Amino acid sequence: MGLQNKNRTNSSSSSSAPNEDTPLLGGHYQPLSSKTKTFANIFIAIVGAGVLGLPYCFKKTGWILGLIMLFTVGFFTHYCMILLVQTRRKLESSFSHTISRGSSKINSFGDLGYAIWGPFGKSFVDLMIVLSQFSFCVGYLIFVSTTLAYLSKYDSILGLTPKVLIHWACFPFQLALNAIPTLTHLAPLSIFADIVDFAAKSVVMIEDVFICFENRPNLKAFGGFPMFFYGIGVAVYAFEGIGMVLPLESEAKDKEKFGDVLGLAMMLISILYGSFGALGYFAFGDETQEIITTNFGQGLISDLVQFCLCINLFFTFPLMMNPVYEVIEGRFCDSRYCLWMRWLMVLGVSLVAIFVPNFTDFLSLVGSSICVILSFVMPALFHLVVFKEELGLKCVVRDGVIMFFGFVIAVSGTWSSLLEIFENDV
């Protein structure tokens, strides 16, 4: 599905410019991102900690079911991202006379909710965005602290476990990174993190190939119907960038090419995910751990790869917290940059990450309970509401199927994830 603009209805009789209470952001100047920077930000906004749980997920679902599940989620996620952009452009066309050339009036998912359903729509979307992005960043900190603790050779330091000590040692550096105000200024870090991440994951997959030929473990193709919903939750979590698509498109210099850049990024990410999940499971079979890198043991190459993955997630953290800052600053700081509020959010994520249990079960729970509604149900619903007078029966059915699929996965996937968590606790 392309991103060509629909026929615009630039009616001169539409409402006047929004008043000061309207949360839709005005057309202030900010530096825009080139296609390369946009691609880098899309890539790093989506590829996060979730990919590292995919081999364990394939162990649960079976590799064929896992691949089907993964590519299906990738396709629907991309489709729903396009729906959000189209919906935003359609709404902007109704008050385009108030928009400065090259700027966006609906800069976030929450603004889109406000434009469609008023304060309730904005509040609901904002809550889901905050919970999802917050949870993603919790997963990042869990991986970084767990992995670096695994690489350390100490049982305890100053009475603290290595995981807790490393966790809080990272805290001041995250405060500094999260003080950076815009996505465009974060783009150089995104490009660096992308390079490191691609190199590290490539080494992991190469190691998986060699180990696979040595071990030849027993593999299962299908893990049973209940595991399908568990796997969907992990996959939805892995394609975690829905909250970033509107801010990234807002900051793209060439907005007409944004759809092409997004499509290319999603295709490459889907291939990367499928390869990473399958090769990890092929290498270790039933011995596959929750975080695949812990299967490699300790050694120079393994330690370097795991450290590079930590670097990637460490620099991804402030990018993924950006939607949270937009919501919080919009509600409590009149959309002005607020350093102390950002630091308070970083502290909150750090505190929650200390108490979260099983890594992959946590991914599945968040993906099923929050991300499915945000990634599938809300984009399809918004698109249906805004385009209801223009859509044919085929498009209405398509949006309806996506919403139904999202609700089914939300209920079944959340239940499956909770069962896994409780069984592991026992």
Side-chain angles (χ1 to χ4, degrees):
M1 176 172 288
L3 278 176
Q4 286 75 18
N5 288 333
K6 302 284 186 180
N7 292 329
R8 298 198 168 192
T9 56
N10 298 332
S11 173
S12 60
S13 63
S14 55
S15 60
S16 60
N19 60 39
E20 63 183 1
D21 295 326
T22 303
L24 305 183
L25 303 180
H28 59 280
Y29 172 78
Q30 58 182 346
L32 299 178
S33 300
S34 65
K35 286 189 287 187
T36 301
K37 288 184 177 180
T38 299
F39 179 89
N41 277 334
I42 291 172
F43 200 89
I44 198 171
I46 295 174
V47 179
V51 65
L52 301 170
L54 287 176
Y56 181 81
C57 177
F58 277 34
K59 168 187 170 182
K60 294 277 191 179
T61 64
W63 67 274
I64 293 181
L65 183 60
L67 287 173
I68 294 173
M69 163 205 73
L70 194 65
F71 288 118
T72 300
V73 169
F75 172 79
F76 278 117
T77 300
H78 174 252
Y79 178 78
C80 289
M81 286 178 173
I82 297 298
L83 292 185
L84 281 184
V85 175
Q86 288 183 341
T87 303
R88 190 253 292 276
R89 290 182 177 181
K90 171 67 174 178
L91 288 172
E92 285 184 346
S93 72
S94 67
F95 45 77
S96 60
H97 63 285
T98 67
I99 304 175
S100 301
R101 182 176 180 83
S103 67
S104 293
K105 198 167 189 64
I106 301 175
N107 285 333
S108 69
F109 206 158
D111 288 345
L112 193 63
Y114 183 91
I116 296 172
W117 284 338
F120 171 78
K122 180 172 176 60
S123 297
F124 181 80
V125 173
D126 283 350
L127 176 62
M128 300 298 285
I129 287 286
V130 168
L131 290 176
S132 62
Q133 301 295 126
F134 193 94
S135 299
F136 299 153
C137 293
V138 167
Y140 293 176
L141 293 185
I142 293 172
F143 177 84
V144 171
S145 58
T146 300
T147 300
L148 293 181
Y150 174 77
L151 296 177
S152 71
K153 302 181 183 299
Y154 301 97
D155 294 329
S156 64
I157 303 174
L158 300 176
L160 299 174
T161 64
K163 179 178 178 179
V164 173
L165 189 64
I166 291 170
H167 184 86
W168 290 114
C170 293
F171 180 70
F173 297 99
Q174 280 299 338
L175 293 180
L177 286 175
N178 282 266
I180 298 175
T182 70
L183 293 176
T184 300
H185 292 153
L186 286 170
L189 292 178
S190 298
I191 294 172
F192 170 72
D194 282 345
I195 294 172
V196 170
D197 182 59
F198 182 79
K201 287 187 172 70
S202 297
V203 172
V204 170
M205 288 190 287
I206 292 171
E207 286 289 316
D208 286 340
V209 171
F210 287 111
I211 294 173
C212 178
F213 284 116
E214 292 178 3
N215 291 347
R216 297 185 179 275
N218 293 323
L219 304 172
K220 59 184 178 184
F222 296 92
F225 186 70
M227 286 296 100
F228 172 78
F229 295 105
Y230 175 90
I232 286 288
V234 176
V236 173
Y237 186 107
F239 289 99
E240 60 192 39
I242 191 73
M244 295 297 298
V245 67
L246 293 184
L248 287 172
E249 201 244 358
S250 293
E251 294 197 8
K253 183 181 299 182
D254 190 351
K255 290 179 173 52
E256 294 304 317
K257 297 294 184 181
F258 180 80
D260 296 335
V261 175
L262 178 63
L264 177 62
M266 289 296 293
M267 181 182 68
L268 294 178
I269 289 169
S270 297
I271 294 172
L272 171 65
Y273 279 4
S275 302
F276 193 91
L279 289 174
Y281 176 54
F282 289 168
F284 300 103
D286 289 338
E287 301 300 319
T288 304
Q289 300 296 312
E290 297 162 18
I291 301 177
I292 187 61
T293 51
T294 58
N295 276 106
F296 292 104
Q298 293 185 336
L300 179 60
I301 295 180
S302 175
D303 291 354
L304 183 61
V305 167
Q306 295 180 71
F307 184 70
C308 287
L309 292 172
C310 289
I311 290 176
N312 170 256
L313 295 182
F314 190 83
F315 287 119
T316 304
F317 185 103
L319 180 69
M320 297 307 291
M321 284 296 288
N322 188 267
V324 177
Y325 300 145
E326 286 189 345
V327 171
I328 300 300
E329 290 171 351
R331 287 190 172 274
F332 301 106
C333 307
D334 295 325
S335 297
R336 292 193 300 267
Y337 173 85
C338 182
L339 181 61
W340 71 265
M341 184 69 77
R342 294 185 175 214
W343 284 1
L344 185 62
M345 293 296 101
V346 175
L347 175 61
V349 172
S350 300
L351 290 173
V352 172
I354 289 291
F355 301 103
V356 169
N358 183 290
F359 177 73
T360 307
D361 290 348
F362 172 73
L363 305 190
S364 179
L365 179 62
V366 174
S368 299
S369 60
I370 300 173
C371 299
V372 165
I373 299 297
L374 197 60
S375 298
F376 297 154
V377 177
M378 298 307 296
L381 181 59
F382 284 177
H383 185 262
L384 187 61
V385 170
V386 172
F387 285 93
K388 61 180 180 295
E389 297 180 357
E390 303 176 24
L391 294 178
L393 178 61
K394 181 179 179 181
C395 293
V396 172
V397 171
R398 189 161 50 195
D399 287 349
V401 168
I402 293 175
M403 286 188 287
F404 177 76
F405 173 77
F407 279 120
V408 170
I409 296 302
V411 174
S412 303
T414 299
W415 177 252
S416 176
S417 300
L418 289 173
L419 288 179
E420 286 294 316
I421 290 174
F422 291 141
E423 287 178 2
N424 287 334
D425 286 342
V426 175

